[in-house]
Short mmCIF file of all heavy atoms in Angstrom, two decimals:
data_model
loop_
_atom_site.label_atom_id
_atom_site.label_comp_id
_atom_site.label_asym_id
_atom_site.label_seq_id
_atom_site.Cartn_x
_atom_site.Cartn_y
_atom_site.Cartn_z
N SER A 277 -8.20 8.84 -6.51
CA SER A 277 -8.89 7.61 -7.02
C SER A 277 -9.76 7.93 -8.19
O SER A 277 -9.86 7.14 -9.14
CB SER A 277 -9.70 7.02 -5.87
OG SER A 277 -8.89 6.49 -4.85
N LYS A 278 -10.43 9.09 -8.20
CA LYS A 278 -11.28 9.45 -9.32
C LYS A 278 -10.47 9.64 -10.58
O LYS A 278 -10.83 9.20 -11.67
CB LYS A 278 -12.06 10.75 -8.98
CG LYS A 278 -13.19 10.55 -7.99
CD LYS A 278 -13.96 11.85 -7.81
CE LYS A 278 -15.21 11.66 -7.01
NZ LYS A 278 -15.99 12.91 -6.81
N ARG A 279 -9.30 10.31 -10.45
CA ARG A 279 -8.44 10.51 -11.61
C ARG A 279 -7.90 9.17 -12.10
O ARG A 279 -7.76 8.97 -13.30
CB ARG A 279 -7.27 11.44 -11.23
CG ARG A 279 -7.70 12.90 -11.05
CD ARG A 279 -6.61 13.69 -10.32
NE ARG A 279 -5.30 13.62 -11.01
CZ ARG A 279 -4.16 14.01 -10.45
NH1 ARG A 279 -4.15 14.48 -9.18
NH2 ARG A 279 -3.04 13.94 -11.11
N MET A 280 -7.62 8.30 -11.18
CA MET A 280 -7.06 6.97 -11.57
C MET A 280 -8.12 6.23 -12.37
O MET A 280 -7.79 5.57 -13.40
CB MET A 280 -6.65 6.18 -10.33
CG MET A 280 -5.93 4.89 -10.67
SD MET A 280 -4.35 5.16 -11.46
CE MET A 280 -3.73 3.47 -11.58
N LYS A 281 -9.34 6.31 -11.95
CA LYS A 281 -10.42 5.60 -12.70
C LYS A 281 -10.53 6.17 -14.13
O LYS A 281 -10.71 5.44 -15.08
CB LYS A 281 -11.77 5.69 -11.97
CG LYS A 281 -12.88 5.04 -12.80
CD LYS A 281 -14.14 4.82 -12.02
CE LYS A 281 -15.22 4.21 -12.93
NZ LYS A 281 -14.79 2.95 -13.57
N VAL A 282 -10.46 7.49 -14.25
CA VAL A 282 -10.56 8.13 -15.57
C VAL A 282 -9.48 7.59 -16.50
O VAL A 282 -9.76 7.23 -17.66
CB VAL A 282 -10.47 9.65 -15.43
CG1 VAL A 282 -10.33 10.30 -16.81
CG2 VAL A 282 -11.72 10.21 -14.74
N VAL A 283 -8.26 7.54 -15.98
CA VAL A 283 -7.17 7.10 -16.85
C VAL A 283 -7.24 5.62 -17.16
O VAL A 283 -6.93 5.19 -18.26
CB VAL A 283 -5.79 7.52 -16.27
CG1 VAL A 283 -5.38 6.65 -15.12
CG2 VAL A 283 -4.70 7.47 -17.33
N LEU A 284 -7.68 4.81 -16.19
CA LEU A 284 -7.84 3.38 -16.43
C LEU A 284 -8.93 3.13 -17.46
O LEU A 284 -8.80 2.27 -18.34
CB LEU A 284 -8.15 2.65 -15.12
CG LEU A 284 -7.03 2.59 -14.10
CD1 LEU A 284 -7.51 1.97 -12.80
CD2 LEU A 284 -5.82 1.80 -14.66
N ASP A 285 -10.03 3.90 -17.36
CA ASP A 285 -11.08 3.74 -18.36
C ASP A 285 -10.56 4.11 -19.75
O ASP A 285 -10.88 3.46 -20.76
CB ASP A 285 -12.27 4.67 -18.01
CG ASP A 285 -13.10 4.14 -16.87
OD1 ASP A 285 -12.98 2.94 -16.52
OD2 ASP A 285 -13.84 4.93 -16.27
N ARG A 286 -9.75 5.20 -19.82
CA ARG A 286 -9.22 5.64 -21.09
C ARG A 286 -8.30 4.55 -21.69
O ARG A 286 -8.26 4.38 -22.92
CB ARG A 286 -8.48 6.94 -20.92
CG ARG A 286 -7.73 7.41 -22.18
CD ARG A 286 -7.33 8.87 -22.08
NE ARG A 286 -6.50 9.12 -20.92
CZ ARG A 286 -5.19 8.91 -20.86
NH1 ARG A 286 -4.56 8.35 -21.91
NH2 ARG A 286 -4.47 9.21 -19.80
N LEU A 287 -7.57 3.87 -20.85
CA LEU A 287 -6.67 2.83 -21.31
C LEU A 287 -7.33 1.48 -21.55
O LEU A 287 -6.70 0.55 -22.03
CB LEU A 287 -5.51 2.64 -20.30
CG LEU A 287 -4.54 3.82 -20.13
CD1 LEU A 287 -3.65 3.57 -18.94
CD2 LEU A 287 -3.75 4.02 -21.38
N GLY A 288 -8.62 1.40 -21.20
CA GLY A 288 -9.34 0.16 -21.41
C GLY A 288 -9.00 -0.92 -20.37
O GLY A 288 -9.20 -2.11 -20.62
N VAL A 289 -8.58 -0.50 -19.21
CA VAL A 289 -8.24 -1.40 -18.10
C VAL A 289 -9.47 -1.68 -17.27
O VAL A 289 -10.10 -0.73 -16.83
CB VAL A 289 -7.08 -0.83 -17.20
CG1 VAL A 289 -6.77 -1.79 -16.07
CG2 VAL A 289 -5.87 -0.57 -18.06
N LYS A 290 -9.76 -2.95 -17.04
CA LYS A 290 -10.88 -3.26 -16.15
C LYS A 290 -10.66 -2.67 -14.77
O LYS A 290 -9.57 -2.80 -14.20
CB LYS A 290 -11.06 -4.79 -16.06
CG LYS A 290 -11.49 -5.44 -17.34
CD LYS A 290 -11.66 -6.96 -17.16
CE LYS A 290 -12.05 -7.59 -18.49
NZ LYS A 290 -12.20 -9.07 -18.35
N ASN A 291 -11.69 -2.02 -14.21
CA ASN A 291 -11.52 -1.42 -12.92
C ASN A 291 -12.87 -1.13 -12.28
O ASN A 291 -13.92 -1.13 -12.96
CB ASN A 291 -10.75 -0.09 -13.04
CG ASN A 291 -11.52 1.02 -13.70
OD1 ASN A 291 -12.22 1.77 -13.05
ND2 ASN A 291 -11.45 1.09 -15.03
N GLU A 292 -12.81 -0.95 -10.97
CA GLU A 292 -14.02 -0.56 -10.22
C GLU A 292 -13.60 0.43 -9.14
O GLU A 292 -12.58 0.26 -8.50
CB GLU A 292 -14.68 -1.80 -9.56
CG GLU A 292 -15.95 -1.48 -8.79
CD GLU A 292 -16.62 -2.72 -8.21
OE1 GLU A 292 -16.51 -3.79 -8.86
OE2 GLU A 292 -17.22 -2.61 -7.14
N LEU A 293 -14.41 1.47 -8.99
CA LEU A 293 -14.15 2.48 -7.94
C LEU A 293 -15.34 2.45 -6.96
O LEU A 293 -16.49 2.73 -7.34
CB LEU A 293 -14.03 3.88 -8.57
CG LEU A 293 -14.02 5.07 -7.55
CD1 LEU A 293 -12.84 4.91 -6.57
CD2 LEU A 293 -13.94 6.38 -8.30
N PHE A 294 -15.04 2.08 -5.71
CA PHE A 294 -16.04 2.07 -4.65
C PHE A 294 -15.85 3.34 -3.83
O PHE A 294 -14.79 3.57 -3.26
CB PHE A 294 -15.83 0.85 -3.74
CG PHE A 294 -16.78 0.80 -2.59
CD1 PHE A 294 -18.02 0.16 -2.68
CD2 PHE A 294 -16.43 1.39 -1.35
CE1 PHE A 294 -18.90 0.14 -1.61
CE2 PHE A 294 -17.32 1.35 -0.29
CZ PHE A 294 -18.52 0.73 -0.38
N ILE A 295 -16.90 4.19 -3.80
CA ILE A 295 -16.85 5.43 -3.03
C ILE A 295 -17.81 5.29 -1.87
O ILE A 295 -19.03 5.05 -2.07
CB ILE A 295 -17.22 6.62 -3.90
CG1 ILE A 295 -16.16 6.79 -5.04
CG2 ILE A 295 -17.24 7.88 -3.06
CD1 ILE A 295 -16.42 7.92 -6.00
N ALA A 296 -17.30 5.52 -0.68
CA ALA A 296 -18.13 5.39 0.57
C ALA A 296 -18.58 6.79 1.01
O ALA A 296 -17.73 7.61 1.44
CB ALA A 296 -17.34 4.72 1.66
N PRO A 297 -19.87 7.06 0.95
CA PRO A 297 -20.39 8.38 1.30
C PRO A 297 -20.07 8.70 2.79
O PRO A 297 -20.28 7.88 3.68
CB PRO A 297 -21.90 8.26 1.10
CG PRO A 297 -22.07 7.16 0.10
CD PRO A 297 -20.97 6.17 0.44
N GLY A 298 -19.54 9.91 2.99
CA GLY A 298 -19.31 10.40 4.34
C GLY A 298 -18.13 9.82 5.07
O GLY A 298 -17.87 10.16 6.23
N GLU A 299 -17.35 8.94 4.41
CA GLU A 299 -16.29 8.25 5.09
C GLU A 299 -14.92 8.94 4.92
O GLU A 299 -14.70 9.64 3.92
CB GLU A 299 -16.18 6.78 4.63
CG GLU A 299 -17.40 5.97 4.97
CD GLU A 299 -17.64 5.85 6.45
OE1 GLU A 299 -16.66 5.82 7.25
OE2 GLU A 299 -18.84 5.78 6.87
N VAL A 300 -14.06 8.73 5.90
CA VAL A 300 -12.75 9.34 5.92
C VAL A 300 -11.66 8.33 5.63
O VAL A 300 -11.91 7.13 5.46
CB VAL A 300 -12.50 10.02 7.29
CG1 VAL A 300 -13.51 11.11 7.58
CG2 VAL A 300 -12.52 8.99 8.41
N HIS A 301 -10.43 8.79 5.62
CA HIS A 301 -9.26 7.95 5.41
C HIS A 301 -9.21 6.88 6.46
O HIS A 301 -9.34 7.16 7.68
CB HIS A 301 -8.00 8.83 5.49
CG HIS A 301 -6.83 8.28 4.77
ND1 HIS A 301 -6.77 8.22 3.39
CD2 HIS A 301 -5.65 7.80 5.20
CE1 HIS A 301 -5.57 7.72 3.03
NE2 HIS A 301 -4.88 7.44 4.12
N GLY A 302 -9.04 5.65 6.07
CA GLY A 302 -8.92 4.52 7.02
C GLY A 302 -10.26 3.89 7.41
O GLY A 302 -10.30 2.99 8.28
N PHE A 303 -11.33 4.29 6.72
CA PHE A 303 -12.66 3.80 7.18
C PHE A 303 -12.81 2.27 7.12
O PHE A 303 -13.51 1.70 7.94
CB PHE A 303 -13.74 4.42 6.32
CG PHE A 303 -13.89 3.84 4.95
CD1 PHE A 303 -14.83 2.86 4.69
CD2 PHE A 303 -13.14 4.29 3.86
CE1 PHE A 303 -15.00 2.30 3.43
CE2 PHE A 303 -13.29 3.74 2.60
CZ PHE A 303 -14.22 2.77 2.39
N ASP A 304 -12.13 1.62 6.20
CA ASP A 304 -12.35 0.16 6.00
C ASP A 304 -11.66 -0.67 7.07
O ASP A 304 -11.86 -1.89 7.14
CB ASP A 304 -11.93 -0.27 4.61
CG ASP A 304 -10.46 -0.09 4.39
OD1 ASP A 304 -9.85 0.82 4.92
OD2 ASP A 304 -9.90 -0.90 3.60
N ALA A 305 -10.75 -0.05 7.87
CA ALA A 305 -10.12 -0.81 8.94
C ALA A 305 -11.09 -1.06 10.07
O ALA A 305 -10.86 -1.97 10.88
CB ALA A 305 -8.91 -0.05 9.44
N MET A 306 -12.15 -0.25 10.16
CA MET A 306 -13.16 -0.44 11.20
C MET A 306 -14.20 -1.41 10.65
O MET A 306 -15.32 -1.04 10.28
CB MET A 306 -13.78 0.91 11.59
CG MET A 306 -12.75 1.89 12.18
SD MET A 306 -13.38 3.55 12.49
CE MET A 306 -13.23 4.29 10.81
N VAL A 307 -13.83 -2.67 10.63
CA VAL A 307 -14.54 -3.69 9.88
C VAL A 307 -15.97 -3.97 10.47
O VAL A 307 -16.78 -4.66 9.79
CB VAL A 307 -13.74 -5.02 9.82
CG1 VAL A 307 -12.52 -4.80 9.00
CG2 VAL A 307 -13.38 -5.49 11.27
N TRP A 308 -16.27 -3.50 11.64
CA TRP A 308 -17.57 -3.70 12.22
C TRP A 308 -18.63 -2.71 11.71
O TRP A 308 -19.79 -2.89 11.88
CB TRP A 308 -17.50 -3.58 13.71
CG TRP A 308 -17.01 -2.23 14.21
CD1 TRP A 308 -17.78 -1.14 14.49
CD2 TRP A 308 -15.65 -1.84 14.38
NE1 TRP A 308 -16.99 -0.09 14.88
CE2 TRP A 308 -15.69 -0.49 14.83
CE3 TRP A 308 -14.44 -2.49 14.28
CZ2 TRP A 308 -14.52 0.24 15.10
CZ3 TRP A 308 -13.26 -1.77 14.56
CH2 TRP A 308 -13.32 -0.46 14.94
N ARG A 309 -18.15 -1.66 11.00
CA ARG A 309 -19.08 -0.61 10.53
C ARG A 309 -19.65 -0.95 9.18
O ARG A 309 -19.02 -1.63 8.33
CB ARG A 309 -18.34 0.72 10.46
CG ARG A 309 -17.85 1.23 11.81
CD ARG A 309 -17.19 2.57 11.77
NE ARG A 309 -18.11 3.56 11.33
CZ ARG A 309 -18.01 4.29 10.19
NH1 ARG A 309 -16.99 4.07 9.38
NH2 ARG A 309 -18.88 5.21 9.87
N PRO A 310 -20.92 -0.52 8.88
CA PRO A 310 -21.54 -0.87 7.62
C PRO A 310 -20.73 -0.45 6.39
O PRO A 310 -20.66 -1.22 5.41
CB PRO A 310 -22.88 -0.10 7.69
CG PRO A 310 -23.15 0.01 9.14
CD PRO A 310 -21.81 0.17 9.82
N ALA A 311 -20.18 0.75 6.40
CA ALA A 311 -19.40 1.19 5.22
C ALA A 311 -18.22 0.30 4.95
O ALA A 311 -17.92 -0.02 3.79
CB ALA A 311 -18.95 2.63 5.44
N ALA A 312 -17.52 -0.11 6.00
CA ALA A 312 -16.42 -1.02 5.83
C ALA A 312 -16.86 -2.36 5.27
O ALA A 312 -16.25 -2.94 4.37
CB ALA A 312 -15.65 -1.20 7.16
N ARG A 313 -17.95 -2.90 5.80
CA ARG A 313 -18.44 -4.16 5.36
C ARG A 313 -18.86 -4.08 3.89
O ARG A 313 -18.62 -5.05 3.11
CB ARG A 313 -19.65 -4.63 6.20
CG ARG A 313 -19.26 -4.97 7.64
CD ARG A 313 -20.47 -5.37 8.45
NE ARG A 313 -20.10 -5.69 9.81
CZ ARG A 313 -20.96 -6.07 10.75
NH1 ARG A 313 -22.26 -6.16 10.44
NH2 ARG A 313 -20.55 -6.38 11.97
N GLN A 314 -19.49 -2.99 3.47
CA GLN A 314 -19.86 -2.85 2.07
C GLN A 314 -18.64 -2.77 1.18
O GLN A 314 -18.62 -3.39 0.07
CB GLN A 314 -20.71 -1.54 1.90
CG GLN A 314 -22.05 -1.60 2.57
CD GLN A 314 -22.70 -0.27 2.71
OE1 GLN A 314 -22.22 0.73 2.15
NE2 GLN A 314 -23.82 -0.20 3.44
N LYS A 315 -17.59 -2.09 1.65
CA LYS A 315 -16.36 -2.02 0.83
C LYS A 315 -15.76 -3.41 0.66
O LYS A 315 -15.39 -3.81 -0.45
CB LYS A 315 -15.38 -1.06 1.48
CG LYS A 315 -14.04 -1.00 0.78
CD LYS A 315 -12.99 -1.84 1.43
CE LYS A 315 -11.66 -1.81 0.68
NZ LYS A 315 -10.58 -2.54 1.35
#
Side-chain angles (χ1 to χ4, degrees):
S277 292
K278 286 184 172 181
R279 287 165 57 193
M280 187 66 176
K281 177 167 179 54
V282 169
V283 74
L284 291 174
D285 286 343
R286 175 166 56 83
L287 293 171
V289 178
K290 293 180 180 179
N291 71 90
E292 182 176 328
L293 172 58
F294 176 90
I295 298 179
E299 295 298 327
V300 298
H301 205 70
F303 77 94
D304 64 328
M306 296 174 279
V307 294
W308 61 90
R309 298 182 63 243
R313 292 180 180 178
Q314 291 166 9
K315 176 261 177 176

